[in-house]
Amino acid sequence: MTTLLYVAAGAALAYWLLVTVVAILTVRKMCRAEELLEPVNDPERLNDPQGISAWARDHGFQLDSQFDFDSLVGAGGLKLAVDGWYSPEKKMFLMHYHVMDKFYYEFISGFPGEYSLTSSKSADSLSLPMPPNALMQVFEDASLDELLREHNKSLAFLHERFGLTPEAPDQPLRNLILFAIDKQMTLIRGIPLWQLRVVWWHFIRRRQLKNKSIIEQIAEVE
């Protein structure tokens, strides 16, 4: 029994160290986001088996930009493919992130005053804190239709409660992505001893916020 306890404790410590090291390396890498985000134009990449591209076209989204994002720590040069779709009618982006057989997607709406709402399928989006005006909600098992419904619910709430109405972007998508990453990395690096907090963010904070809408998050802090 004692040996098993030592093994379990050692495994837990190793995992804690792994999460911490990966997070620190990720933040350091993302601080150079402009060097890592490369515009591409590869129509073949849109033949995705998940059908994200077909869904996007059917719902009024148009392909805006494609990027290769070298953000994966320890991936041996493997890059994250990023396809950005935009709906002029909805004033909304649909982002599709994929590499090999892994993928996730999210909807993003921008508001005046640099506010934004992101509805994501990936719980990893909660692994690091976001700036206060970058609202984030994650529904891990949501289909595209379900995630869009949740996004629209929160949009309606933000409009009714705070008068926020989505606006069209005033700059290219690549600039918007780089600006958002820079703000997030500046926030994180400004937190005292942030390197010691990443495990809490990854295991506790992420679990607390997963599948919780912006409506619920705001209600909890009021």
Side-chain angles (χ1 to χ4, degrees), residues 1-196:
M1 180 63 72
T2 302
T3 301
L4 289 177
L5 289 175
Y6 280 126
V7 171
L13 177 61
Y15 193 44
W16 178 84
L17 289 172
L18 177 63
V19 170
T20 301
V21 169
V22 169
I24 292 173
L25 292 178
T26 297
V27 170
R28 288 181 179 176
K29 196 169 188 178
M30 296 283 275
C31 289
R32 299 180 289 106
E34 189 164 359
E35 302 174 16
L36 309 176
L37 188 63
E38 303 173 357
V40 296
N41 183 15
D42 180 10
E44 290 298 322
R45 197 165 72 187
L46 296 180
N47 298 326
D48 60 287
Q50 298 86 23
I52 310 299
S53 305
W55 187 97
R57 295 189 185 97
D58 290 344
H59 289 77
F61 288 85
Q62 305 165 4
L63 183 63
D64 181 276
S65 307
Q66 293 179 293
F67 308 98
D68 281 332
F69 194 18
D70 185 15
S71 61
L72 304 175
V73 173
L78 195 63
K79 299 179 181 180
L80 185 68
V82 183
D83 302 322
W85 299 79
Y86 182 70
S87 169
E89 179 184 357
K90 299 179 179 69
K91 295 184 176 64
M92 182 188 303
F93 283 102
L94 164 60
M95 305 300 297
H96 177 206
Y97 309 89
H98 50 112
V99 57
M100 301 180 68
D101 61 339
K102 306 295 183 182
F103 75 100
Y104 71 98
Y105 41 78
E106 57 190 24
F107 294 100
I108 304 174
S109 296
F111 308 97
E114 298 181 357
Y115 280 85
S116 64
L117 169 67
T118 300
S119 301
S120 179
K121 178 182 170 62
S122 173
D124 287 339
S125 300
L126 299 169
S127 293
L128 295 172
M130 302 287 289
N133 59 349
L135 306 176
M136 169 71 71
Q137 57 184 8
V138 170
F139 300 94
E140 200 169 29
D141 298 322
S143 66
L144 278 162
D145 291 302
E146 292 167 340
L147 191 61
L148 181 58
R149 280 196 295 271
E150 292 293 342
H151 190 79
N152 285 332
K153 284 181 188 177
S154 292
L155 285 178
F157 168 79
L158 293 172
H159 177 70
E160 180 180 352
R161 186 66 181 277
F162 304 107
L164 293 175
T165 301
E167 65 176 4
D170 60 356
Q171 52 187 310
L173 179 58
R174 185 174 187 273
N175 292 358
L176 295 173
I177 294 173
L178 293 175
F179 179 73
I181 292 174
D182 181 66
K183 283 184 63 178
Q184 185 183 23
M185 296 304 107
T186 299
L187 169 72
I188 292 169
R189 288 179 295 161
I191 297 174
L193 300 176
W194 67 266
Q195 298 90 338
L196 301 180

Side-chain angles (χ1 to χ4, degrees), residues 201-217:
W201 293 336
H202 182 81
F203 289 109
I204 307 301
R205 179 181 176 275
R206 185 173 67 158
R207 184 168 55 187
Q208 291 174 339
L209 293 177
K210 187 172 63 174
N211 298 322
K212 185 175 292 185
S213 70
I214 284 298
I215 302 172
E216 295 173 295
Q217 293 179 43

